[in-house]
Amino acid sequence: MSTKYFTTPIYYVNDRPHIGHAYTSLATDVMARWARLSGHEVFFLTGTDEHGQKVEKAAQDAGMDPQAFTDRVSQHFRDLAATMGFSNDDFIRTTEPRHKAACQALWEELVRRDEIYLGHYEGWYAVRDEAFYGPDEIEERDGKRFAPTGAPVEWVREPSYFFRLSKWGPWLLDFYRENPDFIAPASRRNEVMRFVEGGLQDLSISRTSFTWGVPVPGDAAHVMYVWLDALTNYITAAGYPDTAAERWRFWPADVHFVGKDIVRFHAIYWPAFLQAAGLTPPRRVFAHGWWTNEGQKISKSLGNVIDPVRLVEEYGLDPVRYFLLREVPFGNDGDFSRAALIGRLNGELADTLGNLANRTLSLIQRNCGGVLPEAAGAGPGDEELLAGLASLPERVDGLIGRQEFHLALEAILAEARAANGYITLQAPWALKKTDPVRMAVVLRHLHSALRVFATVLQPFMPGTMAAMLDQLGVPAEGRGLDALARPLPDGTPLPAPAPLFRKVEA
């Protein structure tokens, strides 16, 4: 089997998880589940970023030791993964010994290649972003200075080791041009290219003003700058520095999923670090947008942070998973609306999909003895439905491969609407009296349609689609994409249908 490697960013442990964390991990989970469904061997990584000045300060504010603080907050992200049904194969923490060893090995390799030198840093630094900013990026308001992200900045001067980032600018631009799909969507690619075309400065990669970080090899006064530490997690989990490790075959990563606020670190610093160390860069970095809440920017001060766990408790896991990737083109900013969620749940899931399943399976129970009707060829009026079903998995595969999740779901829903039109037009309840043979053919085609829908929707709604496949009589070994080419045996007994989605009052 060919390998696929998908990653979330590692999440910063200065606060509890929110909808943005769930959104990034959900997209990664769907990619991983689809790849497994397609027959690939998959490695799906998530985890937590636990070092840096911001974490050290948050621990102090909580009156806790940094390690105890990160132990507690990191568990919240593990709990979120379980609540949301994420299928990650590993959960990495940057405080783990394996990660510290990988960071120090990468540092030593960069030193060996003369990519690091000692100097001093003087400039604007945002603790909240763990990022340095140039003078032309700083905005002054009411006597205070802010980064482009809105984070306050402070002037910092301290000894620092530097990575020779400036020398990698021409290589990065060539790399982007040779690999046009490396950064997505296109708007982020253009943004990154403009930044690199403006010229890169050497990057400060160590700090002496705090101690909560990976120690620099051979210089205990310095800890590594948090982004060199954090980005290395992706190769730590693959076994680095042991390139003979069993997991190293998954590198390079196929997609790093990130929020748009950290695309610069992943699309500029990370490929430069890797190339400088003689390692292969990832294949793609996809930066998604931000959510607002009922038209308002989400912030703690407004008290409108969206807790994904509460959403799941209120609406159910799979409707929430479906909505988050259905509502907004992945890569764009989007607005979270409870009315929109309820509309999707009731209209698309309960009515279009759930009602079709219930009608079809109830008719099979009543009119076919509760067993699968005999397979038959296409008759008049069947061709359009069957053609759409035959091409659907390949179309969905292409859309998911481009991270166009909303279009993949729309393609599936379009075929489900067509199947609803088909059952209304063919009226198998009337055919029971006038043409029972044709009735059986129609119900068999509708059963086949439901099997296709349930199969391709598994990555989005794994629990509910497993229940649908159970009701359709599909065995565990018949739920992959390749199994769609193998019809179920005639006469397969089908259990009594049960509702798959519950409607919610607005």
Side-chain angles (χ1 to χ4, degrees):
M1 291 187 292
S2 60
T3 59
K4 295 287 183 180
Y5 183 11
F6 305 109
T7 74
T8 74
I10 49 173
Y11 300 116
Y12 217 61
V13 293
N14 63 325
D15 209 345
R16 296 183 70 92
H18 53 67
I19 192 171
H21 302 114
Y23 185 51
T24 319
S25 293
L26 173 59
T28 315
D29 183 59
V30 168
M31 285 293 299
R33 287 178 180 273
W34 182 263
R36 294 188 193 106
L37 201 64
S38 303
H40 298 289
E41 188 176 7
V42 174
F43 182 39
F44 167 16
L45 177 69
T46 189
T48 45
D49 182 4
E50 304 183 13
H51 288 136
Q53 189 174 5
K54 190 162 54 172
V55 172
E56 188 174 71
K57 185 178 185 306
Q60 290 170 353
D61 292 345
M64 298 179 69
D65 168 78
Q67 186 63 61
F69 176 81
T70 57
D71 289 346
R72 185 189 73 184
V73 182
S74 179
Q75 186 60 44
H76 296 324
F77 287 89
R78 286 182 183 270
D79 294 343
L80 176 69
T83 298
M84 295 295 297
F86 300 147
S87 60
N88 50 291
D89 300 291
D90 195 358
F91 187 101
I92 191 166
R93 299 180 59 190
T94 57
T95 50
E96 294 178 47
R98 61 170 171 163
H99 181 66
K100 294 177 183 177
C103 288
Q104 291 178 330
L106 180 62
W107 183 285
E108 289 170 340
E109 181 63 20
L110 292 171
V111 168
R112 189 183 72 79
R113 292 169 175 257
D114 193 30
E115 298 289 348
I116 291 176
Y117 64 92
L118 181 61
H120 76 272
Y121 179 80
E122 186 172 9
W124 296 108
Y125 183 74
V127 173
R128 193 182 82 186
D129 298 343
E130 299 282 10
F132 299 102
Y133 292 98
D136 58 328
E137 297 180 277
I138 303 303
E139 180 181 344
E140 187 169 349
R141 298 194 300 270
D142 301 325
K144 297 180 180 179
R145 291 178 174 85
F146 298 90
T149 60
V153 296
E154 58 188 32
W155 189 261
V156 172
R157 179 183 170 86
E158 61 182 85
S160 177
Y161 285 94
F162 285 81
F163 170 70
R164 300 184 192 277
L165 182 63
S166 59
K167 68 179 268 191
W168 291 99
W171 176 84
L172 283 166
L173 291 172
D174 287 343
F175 178 72
Y176 301 149
R177 294 183 186 109
E178 291 166 7
N179 300 275
D181 295 329
F182 174 67
I183 306 168
S187 59
R188 304 292 165 226
R189 180 177 185 272
N190 295 338
E191 169 193 323
V192 168
M193 289 194 70
R194 283 195 302 269
F195 184 86
V196 176
E197 286 167 350
L200 298 175
Q201 297 181 346
D202 288 351
L203 181 67
S204 171
I205 55 170
S206 76
R207 303 293 301 278
T208 58
S209 56
F210 61 92
T211 60
W212 184 241
V214 178
V216 167
D219 193 339
H222 291 253
V223 294
M224 292 185 196
Y225 169 51
V226 69
W227 279 103
L228 178 62
D229 167 2
L231 290 164
T232 302
N233 92 89
Y234 303 124
I235 55 174
T236 298
Y240 188 81
D242 181 6
T243 55
E246 192 274 336
R247 278 185 179 170
W248 191 251
R249 61 200 171 89
F250 288 99
W251 189 260
D254 288 271
V255 187
H256 289 321
F257 286 95
V258 301
K260 66 180 183 179
D261 54 324
I262 56 173
V263 66
R264 182 187 302 180
F265 307 107
H266 284 79
I268 299 175
Y269 301 169
W270 185 223
F273 290 157
L274 290 166
Q275 188 70 14
L279 300 171
T280 306
R283 294 190 173 96
R284 176 173 253 207
V285 174
F286 196 106
H288 65 73
W290 291 339
W291 286 90
T292 54
N293 187 356
E294 307 286 354
Q296 283 189 312
K297 181 179 178 181
I298 294 175
S299 74
K300 282 194 250 183
S301 61
L302 291 174
N304 66 348
V305 174
I306 301 171
D307 181 352
V309 176
R310 289 189 179 180
L311 284 181
V312 169
E313 290 170 350
E314 188 172 356
Y315 299 106
L317 173 56
D318 282 347
V320 171
R321 286 176 59 107
Y322 175 88
F323 174 78
L324 290 177
L325 292 180
R326 174 75 173 102
E327 183 69 4
V328 178
F330 194 68
N332 292 6
D333 292 341
D335 184 52
F336 178 86
S337 157
R338 278 175 167 74
L341 192 161
I342 292 169
R344 298 283 189 194
L345 196 170
N346 291 347
E348 296 182 349
L349 298 182
D351 285 345
T352 302
L353 189 61
N355 191 42
L356 176 67
N358 191 61
R359 293 169 78 191
T360 300
L361 295 175
S362 295
L363 285 166
I364 291 175
Q365 287 292 323
R366 287 198 303 269
N367 300 332
C368 303
V371 300
L372 187 62
E374 183 177 344
D382 299 339
E383 295 88 348
E384 186 175 352
L385 175 70
L386 297 180
L389 295 175
S391 66
L392 184 60
E394 185 176 353
R395 285 184 281 138
V396 171
D397 181 67
L399 293 165
I400 290 178
R402 295 190 295 275
Q403 293 78 57
E404 293 177 319
F405 302 111
H406 69 297
L407 294 180
L409 290 170
E410 175 54 36
I412 298 166
L413 259 291
E415 296 301 333
R417 293 187 198 103
N420 275 282
Y422 175 82
I423 193 173
T424 300
L425 183 65
Q426 297 294 328
W429 49 87
L431 290 171
K432 168 70 175 175
K433 296 179 180 178
T434 60
D435 191 346
V437 173
R438 176 63 183 163
M439 175 205 71
V441 170
V442 168
L443 291 176
R444 179 62 186 246
H445 289 329
L446 286 165
H447 181 280
S448 298
L450 289 167
R451 183 186 179 190
V452 173
F453 302 153
T455 299
V456 298
L457 281 169
Q458 286 177 99
F460 297 92
M461 299 184 288
T464 309
M465 291 306 103
M468 182 185 282
L469 289 165
D470 287 342
Q471 294 184 29
L472 293 168
V474 181
E477 65 274 14
R479 300 184 179 188
L481 292 176
D482 61 338
L484 291 173
R486 301 190 294 274
L488 294 183
D490 299 342
T492 297
L494 306 183
L500 294 164
F501 303 98
R502 62 176 179 87
K503 282 196 168 186
V504 175
E505 293 298 324

